[in-house]
Each structure stands twice: as C-alpha cells, then as structure tokens.
C-alpha cells in the first residue's frame, strides 16, 4: 500500500481529500498482517471494546454518520440503530463477529463513495442535519473532523497492535 500526505494539486479540496485518504490508508496499513485471532483481542483492561475490528468498524460507521446521516440527512442504519446510553458504541461491540478483512473491505468501499461525494459537492454546502449545538456544519468541517477523528483513532490502533503482537510502525 502506498500512502502519501502530499496532494497531487494544491487546491483546498485536493488537500483535504488527500489527508483524509492518508489517515484512512494509515488505519488500514496498521492492520496488515494481523491474525484473525489477534484482530478481536482487547488488550487494554479498561477498554473491552477496543479491538482492531472494533476500531476499523467504528471508523466506518463514524464516516457513515457524518457523511450520510448528518451531511446528507439520511436515516440511520446498521449498528447506529442500536445505540443507547448503556451501549453507546454498538459498532465496536458487534465488530468482533466479522473478519477484519471484511470490515476493511467495507470501509474501503464506503470510502470510495465518500471520495465521490467530496469531489462533487461544494465545500461550503451545509449539512442537512444539525449537530449537537444546533448548527449546520459545512462539508469542509465534516472532512476536517473526520481527518482529526481518524488520526486520533490511528493512535489507538497503534497501541492495540503493539500490545497484541508487538508490531509497530508509522
């Protein structure tokens, strides 16, 4: 896998898209070569849902939430329908029921759809659904938020991977 954070052009859309793809590719790269058994291990005692499968599935459904539910205003789907105060991250809990390879493939397939959305919509276009404070964020904000969130979870993936099998990397 070739990852780069250097965009092929220097316009804002290309830079944002390149960085989002870079952090997505980093998440996938950090999962390369992990065994199916290790992909469902939760090595942090206080975080029983923090598995590689759980983190990748979380990234997938976080993008669904921000692009489809918030920006496009579509209905919730999948594990997001099961979210409750007592079970705020069902996508992480349910992820161990699926092979990591499947979750990675679904994440990549979805990323391709969102690349198209980013390429065809105005960065200043406002989301259909408001966020917690009632504001309607724009597409630019959604992309920046997803770069931040994915990069943060890449740190979690890094820690989990090192704890389960000792593999480290950039």
């Amino acid at each position: 896998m070739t990852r780069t954070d250097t965009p092929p052009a220097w316009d804002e859309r290309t830079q944002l898209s390149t960085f989002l793809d870079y952090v997505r590719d980093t998440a996938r790269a950090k999962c390369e070569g992990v065994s199916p058994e290790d992909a469902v291990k939760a090595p942090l005692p206080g975080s029983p849902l923090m598995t590689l499968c759980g983190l990748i599935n979380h990234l997938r459904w976080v993008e669904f939430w921000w692009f489809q539910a918030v920006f496009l205003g579509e209905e919730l789907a999948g594990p997001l329908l099961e979210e409750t105060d007592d079970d705020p991250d069902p996508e992480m809990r349910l992820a161990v029921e699926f092979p990591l390879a499947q979750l990675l493939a679904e994440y990549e397939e979805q990323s391709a759809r969102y690349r198209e959305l980013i390429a065809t919509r105005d960065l200043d276009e406002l989301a259909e659904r408001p966020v917690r404070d009632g504001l309607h964020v724009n597409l630019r904000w959604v992309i920046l938020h997803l770069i931040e969130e994915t990069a943060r979870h890449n740190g979690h993936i890094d820690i989990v991977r090192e704890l389960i099998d000792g593999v480290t990397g950039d």
Side-chain angles (χ1 to χ4, degrees):
M1 171 185 308
T2 303
R3 293 180 297 139
T4 184
D5 60 357
T6 305
W10 294 99
D11 62 285
E12 182 181 21
R13 181 184 315 279
T14 305
Q15 290 182 60
L16 291 170
S17 296
T18 299
F19 268 93
L20 183 54
D21 279 339
Y22 178 75
V23 293
R24 288 169 171 158
D25 291 345
T26 299
R28 285 190 287 276
K30 290 179 180 297
C31 293
E32 287 179 355
V34 71
S35 73
E37 299 78 28
D38 284 344
V40 297
K41 286 183 181 174
L44 299 169
S47 300
L49 301 180
M50 199 164 298
T51 65
L52 293 177
C53 284
L55 287 160
I56 293 299
N57 207 39
H58 177 70
L59 290 175
R60 175 185 187 248
W61 287 102
V62 161
E63 287 201 21
F64 175 93
W65 166 255
W66 285 106
F67 282 125
Q68 288 182 238
V70 174
F71 185 72
L72 296 174
E74 295 179 6
E75 295 299 317
L76 295 181
L80 298 181
L81 293 169
E82 298 182 32
E83 185 176 320
T84 65
D85 289 341
D86 292 332
D87 189 12
D89 297 304
E91 75 283 2
M92 293 182 81
R93 177 180 46 79
L94 296 169
V96 297
E97 298 174 13
F98 302 95
L100 180 59
Q102 176 184 337
L103 297 173
L104 288 165
E106 290 171 357
Y107 182 41
E108 174 53 40
E109 178 184 308
Q110 179 179 273
S111 296
R113 285 196 310 274
Y114 299 150
R115 275 185 211 99
E116 180 66 26
L117 181 143
I118 292 169
T120 60
R121 303 299 274 264
D122 189 311
L123 294 173
D124 290 322
E125 185 176 341
L126 295 179
E128 292 292 325
R129 182 175 282 159
V131 294
R132 283 185 285 276
D133 57 10
L135 294 175
H136 289 261
V137 298
N138 62 24
L139 179 58
R140 177 185 295 101
W141 186 95
V142 170
I143 298 165
L144 285 167
H145 177 73
L146 288 169
I147 292 168
E148 175 274 327
E149 176 139 354
T150 306
R152 184 167 42 90
H153 287 308
N154 280 345
H156 299 137
I157 293 170
D158 233 1
I159 292 165
V160 169
R161 182 69 192 262
E162 184 173 354
L163 289 172
I164 60 173
D165 67 6
V167 172
T168 61
D170 57 336

